[in-house]
Amino acid sequence: MAPNFHSFFVLFFTIFVFSAAVESVSRQRVYLESQCRSAMYPDLCVRTLLPYVNKNSVPSPQRLAQISLASCLSKARVTRAYVDMVAKKLNETGNSQDSQALEDCVHQIDNGVDQITRSFKELQRMGTDGDENFAWHESNVESWVGAALTEVTTCVDGITGGGISRKEKAMINARFLNMKQLASNSLMMFTRYTTRYRASRGIKNP
């Protein structure tokens, strides 16, 4: 009788813990779905933010915007490394035209990485040096993320050579598409943060 009771207790406890964990994740997902509702890519928005939300704390709108930008920056760096690898391979095979196009693309990604990095640092400063500087920081972030999006689009449009394999083209296009989606979501999360901050501090729109 005792062994059966022990087995039942272990099973009950396991189910209880699992149910609590599922409920916690569910609450976190519901919260993020409400935050990501206005995003152009809401499912990606939730997947991006979910690993950074735990049951003990809810990230602030500013923190969510920072996570979104950091994820975009990480993807940009990974994409840059992949494009650079393909460019070097083409250069080694003597395909200088396509190699040059990809090298130009790497340069544009570098510009995008720099702009997203500056945006992230600017976002960290927002709200720490007086409300009178809030609009200035806001404009900088919007301009730099927008410029990064332009760099990515220009880069993709410049890759037209036939020396790149179909698989490599597909990989490059998929990575750039993901970058653009993350950047778009980052701008939405940033706008959500600035709107709430302005409302809470009585700051008029510029």
Side-chain angles (χ1 to χ4, degrees):
M1 191 72 179
N4 289 337
F5 177 79
H6 177 72
S7 298
F8 174 79
F9 178 79
V10 171
L11 178 61
F12 176 80
F13 182 75
T14 302
I15 293 174
F16 175 79
V17 171
F18 178 76
S19 299
V22 170
E23 183 181 355
S24 176
V25 172
S26 179
R27 286 199 302 268
Q28 295 162 16
R29 179 173 287 278
V30 169
Y31 167 71
L32 290 179
E33 286 174 349
S34 70
Q35 300 299 305
C36 294
R37 189 173 294 120
S38 301
M40 189 172 293
Y41 310 98
D43 291 341
L44 175 63
C45 178
V46 172
R47 291 199 308 271
T48 301
L49 300 173
L50 189 57
Y52 302 94
V53 179
N54 61 61
K55 63 181 180 180
N56 297 319
S57 64
V58 176
S60 66
Q62 183 179 19
R63 180 60 181 156
L64 290 176
Q66 289 173 341
I67 294 170
S68 294
L69 270 178
S71 298
C72 183
L73 179 60
S74 176
K75 176 60 68 173
R77 287 171 172 164
V78 171
T79 301
R80 189 243 186 241
Y82 181 77
V83 174
D84 188 47
M85 178 197 71
V86 176
K88 288 178 179 178
K89 187 175 74 171
L90 288 174
N91 191 45
E92 290 172 357
T93 60
N95 193 328
S96 58
Q97 183 176 353
D98 289 337
S99 174
Q100 184 59 52
L102 287 180
E103 287 176 4
D104 292 342
C105 190
V106 168
H107 178 68
Q108 289 169 319
I109 299 174
D110 284 338
N111 290 339
V113 167
D114 179 62
Q115 288 154 345
I116 296 172
T117 301
R118 292 165 67 189
S119 298
F120 183 82
K121 292 179 179 178
E122 196 81 353
L123 176 54
Q124 288 181 308
R125 287 193 287 268
M126 293 182 72
T128 64
D129 59 351
D131 290 347
E132 65 275 9
N133 294 315
F134 189 84
W136 181 67
H137 292 309
E138 182 179 9
S139 176
N140 285 340
V141 173
E142 291 174 343
S143 297
W144 292 335
V145 176
L149 272 168
T150 300
E151 294 283 2
V152 170
T153 302
T154 304
C155 180
V156 172
D157 292 343
I159 303 175
T160 58
I164 306 171
S165 72
R166 184 176 301 177
K167 179 181 178 180
E168 288 168 340
K169 277 186 180 179
M171 287 287 290
I172 290 172
N173 287 333
R175 289 169 187 263
F176 277 120
L177 176 61
N178 192 228
M179 276 178 58
K180 292 170 71 173
Q181 292 172 340
L182 287 170
S184 173
N185 283 351
S186 295
L187 278 175
M188 187 283 301
M189 296 304 297
F190 176 71
T191 300
R192 190 177 182 86
Y193 155 63
T194 58
T195 300
R196 290 191 173 190
Y197 187 91
R198 285 178 177 280
S200 67
R201 309 285 290 196
I203 304 174
K204 296 181 179 179
N205 290 324

